[in-house]
């Protein structure tokens, strides 16, 4: 599959949103608003989904019109016509495409290459998605996908997995910022990198003896082989000073 | 997703506008739903965090354009008042919009109206030093309230002030509006429809013309098919088609098949527009005197001369190209009287200047012809452009606003009365500013040299305008001489009117241009 590689999988899901209104707001605008009220970083529900490197949600309103593709032939036919009349050149422009609906886009890079990994990942998405929004209200996953076409048939984790797989693209939209190691390994590595930099700065100019003593204490504290703790938290995006 | 499911989607997105994401008064003027009273408030942002909290509350009640679709019952058709919000560039800075987004705004918007005074012809009595006090301050935020009655407007006004208080006074209501009783420091600008002697809404402005008859019609407006005649763009064979929505709404294709220049991210610009707010003072006494004096030497009635100034007759808005003189007006009135509502609408808007190439009916410097030349810039050379109105299609503006003040029989120029004029367009520079600079205060595109547009031109008491006659008719043209300034600018600025979603993003502080 074109969307896996190096231990990772790039998942892109486009769920069409129903055309219509919830009160005075279109379903798509309502979905956007719900996405807008999801907390981010460590407090994001996406941080609770095991093995997520990066994930985002957004509403795709339409495709963009790109006008006439550039080409490197000396002259194309429409340009030749425009010697006589501008309207022939205008007629040569491609027709504008429009999407039939607006889409909720879920895009994620996660650890795991196989189909089983994808199923497990989507199941976890369904089971672990639970969050409190900026207004203190608690929501499950249905709150976000509720207004998508045919989503009303999703009643269980298995329904959810097959719905998402139907909406998934077979294309690789990889986030260029992580390798194929497991999430825990990557978070630990980020933590160690940060702590080691700090250690080096704090002990600059000290004697070899002092540094050695401090180093043992440092290793005991940061436990390099323990992937559970201490480490960065899933969703963490900035260096902690403590 | 299977194609059958896709096909079950009721409508094709893109064919219609997302009306509930566009602020009210944009797609359809509020006058259509009986909002005859308005208040315009201007705020300064003092605390960006609390200002965003205030905007978050206000955004929940900001009025959208859903009422423009008469087939849908919306909250708006049952609400007694509306609320809308817009920002100056300084306001977007004060609310802490990211630099990456600020950089994407057009230069004229960033500069603001005062700095564009020489382009706009805001000189002499229109110069910024004569503007209302409020425009001597830095304005950040515009909040407008339109309503069925003054009491409804007052109620919403109090609600808005409460929201600010409850969110920590992040914004400050600025004083400094002139008023009818000579006040200099009122807290808001009022606007209200003028009424006739029986107290019924007249739809007129202070010079006595029926106003707001013919606004541009663009794709996606629910009533476009019924209203496009004379209001869209003119195609070959005298056909009319709606203009591209991108002439008025950001994030949509315009007449050049391009997206209007707009800030990033796209969601910040989507369904937004730019507004020009101008307080236009009318020298009513000067106008009446000038009309009386000129009529004495004019071959025709005083009302016919007034119609020549504008391009429409004052009493009912009859276009002068179809009712060219007093006798023609009588015939037109008889037909108008007998017509049904749809035909009446058509008679008022469905005209062009193809049979009036020399300006013998509607003068080249008449208000209507200068504001929207329709196909007349071809000067009778069929096929000069891709479509007859191609040059005018990029210069159209949506006109909004209401008169302010009163002007009785004994009124003088010093009274505070005029029009709160609001123009909506995708590009202030290409649309509003161009019309103001090239078509109002200059006449070359109309083969009129330096002659300015009669009603709005920044006249100095020296200029002239020509009322043309049929070539070969043996009649001499009539010259209007020593034109005084009928209309003066008393303040205003350029505003960004975001879409509803964008407004909520600004209020939440989550606009991300990366």
């Amino acid at each position: 599959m074109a969307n896996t590689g190096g231990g990772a999988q790039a998942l892109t899901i486009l769920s069409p949103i129903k055309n219509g209104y919830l009160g005075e707001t279109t379903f798509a605008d309502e979905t956007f608003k719900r996405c807008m009220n999801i907390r981010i970083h460590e407090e994001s529900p996406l941080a609770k989904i095991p093995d997520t490197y990066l994930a985002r949600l957004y509403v795709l309103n339409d495709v963009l019109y790109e006008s006439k593709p550039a080409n490197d032939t000396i002259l194309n036919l429409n340009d030749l016509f425009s010697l006589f009349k501008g309207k022939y050149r205008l007629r040569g422009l491609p027709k504008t495409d429009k999407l039939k609906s607006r889409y909720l886009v879920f895009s994620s890079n996660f650890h795991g290459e196989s189909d089983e990994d994808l199923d497990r990942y989507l199941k976890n998405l369904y089971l672990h998605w639970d969050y409190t929004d900026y207004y203190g209200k608690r929501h499950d996953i249905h709150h976000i996908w509720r207004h998508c076409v045919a989503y009303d048939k999703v009643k269980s984790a298995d329904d959810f997995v097959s719905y998402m797989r139907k909406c998934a693209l077979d294309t690789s939209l990889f986030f260029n910022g992580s390798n194929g190691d497991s999430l825990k390994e990557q978070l630990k590595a980020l933590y160690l990198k940060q702590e080691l930099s700090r250690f080096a700065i704090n002990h600059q100019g000290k004697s070899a003896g002092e540094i050695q003593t401090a180093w043992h204490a440092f290793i005991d504290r940061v436990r390099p082989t323990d992937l559970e703790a201490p480490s960065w938290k899933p969703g963490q995006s900035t260096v902690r000073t403590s | 997703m299977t194609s059958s499911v896709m096909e079950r989607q009721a409508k094709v997105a893109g064919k219609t506008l997302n009306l509930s994401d566009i602020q009210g008064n944009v797609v359809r003027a509020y006058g259509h739903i009986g909002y005859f009273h308005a208040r315009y408030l201007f705020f300064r942002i003092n605390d960006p965090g609390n200002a965003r909290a205030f905007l978050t509350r206000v955004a929940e009640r900001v009025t959208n354009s859903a009422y423009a679709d008469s087939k849908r019952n919306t909250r708006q058709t049952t609400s007694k008042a509306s609320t809308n919000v817009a920002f100056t560039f300084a306001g977007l800075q004060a609310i802490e919009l990211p630099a990456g987004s600020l950089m994407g705004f057009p230069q004229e918007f960033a500069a603001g109206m005062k700095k564009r005074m020489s382009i706009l012809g805001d000189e002499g009595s229109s110069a910024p030093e004569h503007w209302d006090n409020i425009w001597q301050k830095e304005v950040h935020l515009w909040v407008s309230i339109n309503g069925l009655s003054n009491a409804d407007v007052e109620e919403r006004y109090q609600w808005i002030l409460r929201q600010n208080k409850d969110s920590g006074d992040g914004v400050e209501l600025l004083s400094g509006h002139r008023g009818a009783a000579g006040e200099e420091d009122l807290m808001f600008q009022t606007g209200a429809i003028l009424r006739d002697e029986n107290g019924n809404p007249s739809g007129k402005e202070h010079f006595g013309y029926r106003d707001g008859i013919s606004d541009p019609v663009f794709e996606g407006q629910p009533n476009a098919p019924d209203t496009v005649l004379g209001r869209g763009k003119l195609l070959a064979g005298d056909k009319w088609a709606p203009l591209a929505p991108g002439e008025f709404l950001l994030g949509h294709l315009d007449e050049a098949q391009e997206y209007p220049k707009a800030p990033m991210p796209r969601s910040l610009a989507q369904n937004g527009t730019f507004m020009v707010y101008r307080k236009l003072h009318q020298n009513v006494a000067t106008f009446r005197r000038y009309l009386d004096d000129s009529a004495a030497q004019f071959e025709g009635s005083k009302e016919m001369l007034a119609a020549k100034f504008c391009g429409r007759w004052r009493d009912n808005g009859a276009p002068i190209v179809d009712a060219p003189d007093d006798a023609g007006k009588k015939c037109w009135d008889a037909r108008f009287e007998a017509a049904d509502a749809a035909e009446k609408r058509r008679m008022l808007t469905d005209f062009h200047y193809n049979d009036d190439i020399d300006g013998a009916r509607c003068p080249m410097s008449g208000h209507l012809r200068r504001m929207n030349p329709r196909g007349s810039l071809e000067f009778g050379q069929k096929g000069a452009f891709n479509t007859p109105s191609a040059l005018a299609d990029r210069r159209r503006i949506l006109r909004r606003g209401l008169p302010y003040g009163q002007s009785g029989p004994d009124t003088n120029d010093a009274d505070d009365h005029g029009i709160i004029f609001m123009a909506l367009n995708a590009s202030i520079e290409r649309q509003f500013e161009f019309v103001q600079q090239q078509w109002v205060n200059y006449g070359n595109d109309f083969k009129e040299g330096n002659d300015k547009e009669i009603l709005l031109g920044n006249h100095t008491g020296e200029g002239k305008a020509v009322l043309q006659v049929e070539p070969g008719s043996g009649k001499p043209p009539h010259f209007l001489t020593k034109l005084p300034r009928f209309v003066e600018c008393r303040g205003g600025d350029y505003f960004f009117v975001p879409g509803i979603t964008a407004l909520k993003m600004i209020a939440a502080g989550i606009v991300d241009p990366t």
Side-chain angles (χ1 to χ4, degrees), chain A residues 17-19 21 23-24 26 29 32 36 64-65 86-87 90 96 99-103 149 166-167, chain B residues 1 5-6 9 11 13-14 18 20-21 64 72 74-76 253 257 259 266 386 501 504-505 510:
Chain A
I17 303 169
K18 284 186 292 191
N19 291 319
Y21 293 86
E24 288 228 351
T26 59
D29 287 337
F32 175 91
M36 197 172 95
L64 287 174
Y65 176 71
K87 71 177 178 197
L90 288 174
T96 320
L99 291 178
K100 288 190 169 63
S101 53
R102 294 162 73 187
Y103 287 83
V149 172
K166 275 192 189 121
C167 298
Chain B
M1 188 55 55
V5 172
M6 299 294 291
Q9 292 270 44
K11 275 185 197 164
N18 180 1
S20 60
D21 194 45
N64 60 43
R72 290 192 52 228
T74 69
R75 177 185 47 152
Q76 204 41 55
L253 290 180
Q257 293 288 290
Y259 293 99
R266 285 182 199 282
N386 281 330
T501 299
K504 287 175 180 169
M505 285 167 56
I510 59 158

Side-chain angles (χ1 to χ4, degrees), chain B residues 221-258:
Chain B
Q221 283 178 311
N223 58 349
D226 308 327
T227 53
V228 72
L229 296 177
R231 293 170 58 180
K233 55 186 175 188
L234 186 59
L235 306 177
D238 293 355
K239 287 194 182 70
W240 296 95
L243 288 148
E247 290 297 313
F248 310 104
L249 291 170
L250 305 180
H252 298 262
L253 290 180
D254 65 20
E255 281 294 322
Q257 293 288 290
E258 292 166 343

Side-chain angles (χ1 to χ4, degrees), chain B residues 368-509:
Chain B
L368 250 70
R369 195 160 184 149
R370 291 286 188 104
M371 294 299 102
N372 177 14
R374 300 173 186 233
S376 69
L377 294 178
E378 282 194 327
F379 283 96
Q381 288 187 47
K382 283 214 183 306
F385 316 128
N386 281 330
T387 60
S389 66
L391 293 195
D393 296 343
R394 310 297 321 274
R395 317 288 180 193
R396 303 289 298 276
I397 53 172
L398 299 172
R399 295 167 304 138
R400 300 289 183 259
L402 279 167
Y404 66 91
Q406 294 300 326
S407 53
D410 304 324
T411 194
N412 60 47
D413 286 350
D415 287 348
D416 194 61
H417 52 221
I419 284 185
I420 298 300
F421 170 84
M422 294 179 288
L424 301 172
N425 44 211
S427 165
I428 294 173
E429 183 181 39
R430 193 190 72 238
Q431 291 161 281
F432 169 76
E433 284 188 343
F434 179 93
V435 170
Q436 185 75 15
Q437 184 182 31
Q438 299 293 326
W439 291 355
V440 171
N441 291 326
Y442 190 53
N444 211 39
D445 283 353
F446 299 85
K447 302 188 181 179
E448 294 298 290
N450 286 332
D451 289 0
K452 301 173 191 292
E453 189 268 316
I454 296 166
L455 292 175
L456 293 181
N458 58 353
H459 307 295
T460 57
E462 300 299 317
K464 71 164 190 351
V466 186
L467 308 184
Q468 291 82 8
V469 290
E470 281 302 341
S473 67
K475 291 181 182 165
H478 182 89
F479 291 93
L480 297 172
T481 59
K482 293 194 162 53
L483 276 161
R485 193 171 303 195
F486 299 124
V487 176
E488 294 164 0
C489 183
R490 289 283 169 86
D493 212 336
Y494 293 164
F495 292 85
F496 170 57
V497 186
I500 306 272
T501 299
L503 176 64
K504 287 175 180 169
M505 285 167 56
I506 294 170

Side-chain angles (χ1 to χ4, degrees), chain B residues 1-321:
Chain B
M1 188 55 55
T2 59
S3 61
S4 64
V5 172
M6 299 294 291
E7 282 158 14
R8 281 212 297 273
Q9 292 270 44
K11 275 185 197 164
V12 175
K15 282 268 188 262
T16 53
L17 294 167
N18 180 1
L19 296 174
S20 60
D21 194 45
I22 302 167
Q23 286 205 47
N25 212 20
V26 174
V27 177
R28 193 157 200 238
Y30 277 147
H32 290 286
I33 49 172
Y35 287 167
F36 295 151
H37 298 264
R39 247 177 232 191
Y40 306 105
L41 325 177
F42 297 92
F43 293 90
R44 182 172 52 225
I45 292 163
N46 290 331
D47 178 309
N50 291 353
R52 285 196 294 268
F54 165 70
L55 284 171
T56 300
R57 290 160 175 261
V58 172
E60 288 306 315
R61 286 189 81 171
V62 159
T63 311
N64 60 43
S65 279
Y67 66 87
D69 186 352
S70 54
K71 294 181 192 68
R72 290 192 52 228
N73 270 326
T74 69
R75 177 185 47 152
Q76 204 41 55
T77 46
T78 57
S79 181
K80 291 178 175 171
S82 67
T83 303
N84 293 99
V85 178
F87 300 85
T88 60
F89 186 73
L92 292 171
Q93 287 173 300
I95 202 86
E96 296 179 331
L97 204 67
S101 294
L102 289 168
M103 283 190 305
F105 281 95
Q107 57 159 8
E108 74 280 7
F109 168 69
M113 199 168 90
K114 219 180 263 184
K115 289 202 176 88
R116 310 289 281 183
M117 63 178 278
S118 53
I119 287 168
L120 300 174
D122 288 342
E123 287 138 354
S125 53
S126 288
E129 67 255 30
H130 304 300
W131 293 2
D132 286 13
N133 282 338
I134 188 160
W135 303 108
Q136 314 308 331
K137 306 171 183 177
E138 188 174 87
V139 167
H140 289 163
L141 185 65
W142 168 88
V143 176
S144 81
I145 307 166
N146 292 60
L148 297 173
S149 74
N150 220 352
D152 297 324
V153 171
E154 168 70 21
E155 192 183 335
R156 186 61 65 94
Y157 171 72
Q158 293 300 343
W159 179 83
I160 284 166
L161 296 187
R162 259 198 322 277
Q163 302 317 301
N164 185 33
K165 196 159 176 285
D166 295 348
S167 48
D169 285 320
V171 299
E172 176 193 345
L173 183 62
L174 298 173
S175 66
H177 300 275
R178 281 197 188 107
E183 307 95 325
E184 293 282 346
D185 264 334
L186 295 176
M187 297 309 286
F188 47 79
Q189 173 69 55
T190 47
I193 200 158
L194 296 183
R195 295 179 182 270
D196 61 20
E197 53 277 9
N198 305 320
N200 298 317
S202 69
K204 295 195 171 185
E205 49 67 68
H206 291 287
F207 294 156
Y209 294 98
R210 226 194 101 186
D211 201 11
I213 293 173
S214 180
D215 245 352
V217 165
F218 54 94
E219 277 166 44
Q221 283 178 311
N223 58 349
D226 308 327
T227 53
V228 72
L229 296 177
R231 293 170 58 180
K233 55 186 175 188
L234 186 59
L235 306 177
D238 293 355
K239 287 194 182 70
W240 296 95
L243 288 148
E247 290 297 313
F248 310 104
L249 291 170
L250 305 180
H252 298 262
L253 290 180
D254 65 20
E255 281 294 322
Q257 293 288 290
E258 292 166 343
Y259 293 99
K261 180 177 166 53
M264 292 301 276
R266 285 182 199 282
S267 51
L268 170 66
Q270 190 71 28
N271 292 325
T273 185
F274 288 104
M275 174 180 77
V276 178
Y277 176 99
R278 278 166 87 75
K279 181 173 182 175
L280 295 178
H281 172 78
Q282 293 179 270
N283 290 319
V284 178
T286 294
F287 175 83
R288 289 175 185 168
R289 208 169 35 243
Y290 188 85
L291 182 60
D292 286 341
D293 294 351
S294 306
Q297 300 133 38
F298 179 70
E299 196 187 322
S301 69
K302 181 170 117 177
E303 281 310 315
M304 179 179 160
L305 181 62
K308 287 278 186 185
F309 289 5
C310 174
R312 289 190 186 278
W313 291 74
R314 289 205 290 185
D315 58 345
N316 59 10
I320 197 165
V321 286

